[in-house]
Amino acid sequence: NLQDSIASLGDRITDMLIAIDEIGMQYYTDVNNDTQDAIIYHFNYWIILFTGVFDALAWISKYRYQIEFDQMNKIGLRSNSQSDFLELLYQENVNLKEFLRKNSSVINLMYGPRDLVIHRTRLRGLRFDNRNENFHCNMVRIPESFFSQIVSLSKEKGDVLGKWGHYKSNDEYFLEPYRFVKKATPVLIEF
């Protein structure tokens, strides 16, 4: 029901904030295998929560507009796979179509990494030491497609380790999770 979906949304955001705190504590502790494992654990959970927020919003919309749609696994805000649900939603509130289109980069940001974490492999960590730019931190290797999404959203090229935490080196793509979650979470909450 609507109340449960709203409570679920609040719980997911609260858990995201806890995961950010946990990642931050490890970030400031040290760069070693133990902190790396803890960061990856909490980052994987944060990724699932990020997409879960959009799932909760879709269910809130279903209940709010009393949309009859029985394909439970197709209720979502991504335009590529849940278009039947979205078409019914747009019939109820036409303004949502443009709003979701404008925010598709935020909506779609974490579904690729989520699919990796849930269906394939965990994100893999590594200790990254760049003496030229003077940083030493725990990072994760990410696919080029995810890197490109971050570049698009952040407007940072990733040629240096910036505020969003993405970094390209020798045609490999990396992400420092703490910087990333500190930037991506407010974007989600603003949405």
Side-chain angles (χ1 to χ4, degrees):
N1 69 28
L2 181 59
Q3 291 302 104
D4 291 341
S5 294
I6 292 171
S8 174
L9 174 64
D11 291 343
R12 289 169 200 263
I13 291 172
T14 300
D15 288 351
M16 284 180 77
L17 297 175
I18 293 168
I20 293 168
D21 286 346
E22 294 292 335
I23 293 167
M25 284 190 288
Q26 300 304 316
Y27 175 85
Y28 287 111
T29 299
D30 197 6
V31 178
N32 61 45
N33 289 342
D34 293 334
T35 58
Q36 182 181 91
D37 288 344
I39 286 170
I40 291 171
Y41 173 83
H42 293 291
F43 185 52
N44 283 334
Y45 185 47
W46 179 92
I47 289 169
I48 294 166
L49 292 167
F50 189 99
T51 57
V53 165
F54 288 109
D55 293 342
L57 288 170
W59 280 92
I60 289 169
S61 299
K62 178 189 182 322
Y63 293 126
R64 160 70 176 84
Y65 294 108
Q66 300 176 358
I67 297 172
E68 296 295 326
F69 191 77
D70 59 356
Q71 297 176 12
M72 305 294 196
N73 62 336
K74 299 229 180 207
I75 295 174
L77 299 181
R78 286 190 294 172
S79 60
N80 59 349
S81 62
Q82 285 87 16
S83 58
D84 292 342
F85 172 75
L86 287 178
E87 287 306 317
L88 294 172
L89 179 60
Y90 299 154
Q91 289 173 17
E92 297 298 325
N93 185 337
V94 70
N95 296 326
L96 284 176
K97 186 172 191 172
E98 182 60 18
F99 177 77
L100 294 177
R101 187 195 63 74
K102 283 183 179 177
N103 289 284
S104 64
S105 61
V106 177
I107 295 167
N108 295 321
L109 179 64
M110 298 311 300
Y111 280 97
R114 175 194 135 328
D115 291 344
L116 281 175
V117 169
I118 291 178
H119 301 297
R120 291 188 287 284
T121 61
R122 257 177 47 137
L123 294 173
R124 299 284 179 219
L126 64 142
R127 287 180 294 204
F128 204 95
D129 190 4
N130 185 319
R131 293 167 199 238
N132 293 336
E133 294 183 39
N134 195 28
F135 68 85
H136 179 66
C137 56
N138 290 310
M139 297 184 92
V140 293
R141 192 178 317 270
I142 61 172
E144 181 181 6
S145 57
F146 182 35
F147 181 87
S148 297
Q149 288 178 287
I150 298 168
V151 168
S152 176
L153 193 59
S154 70
K155 309 296 186 237
E156 295 178 356
K157 293 179 188 176
D159 52 346
V160 297
L161 184 62
K163 294 177 182 176
W164 280 74
H166 58 297
Y167 183 73
K168 178 182 176 185
S169 176
N170 300 325
D171 292 328
E172 291 187 286
Y173 305 92
F174 305 96
L175 184 67
E176 193 287 296
Y178 187 54
R179 290 175 192 225
F180 179 74
V181 297
K182 286 192 321 180
K183 285 299 194 179
T185 304
V187 170
L188 174 66
I189 291 171
E190 184 179 325
F191 170 88

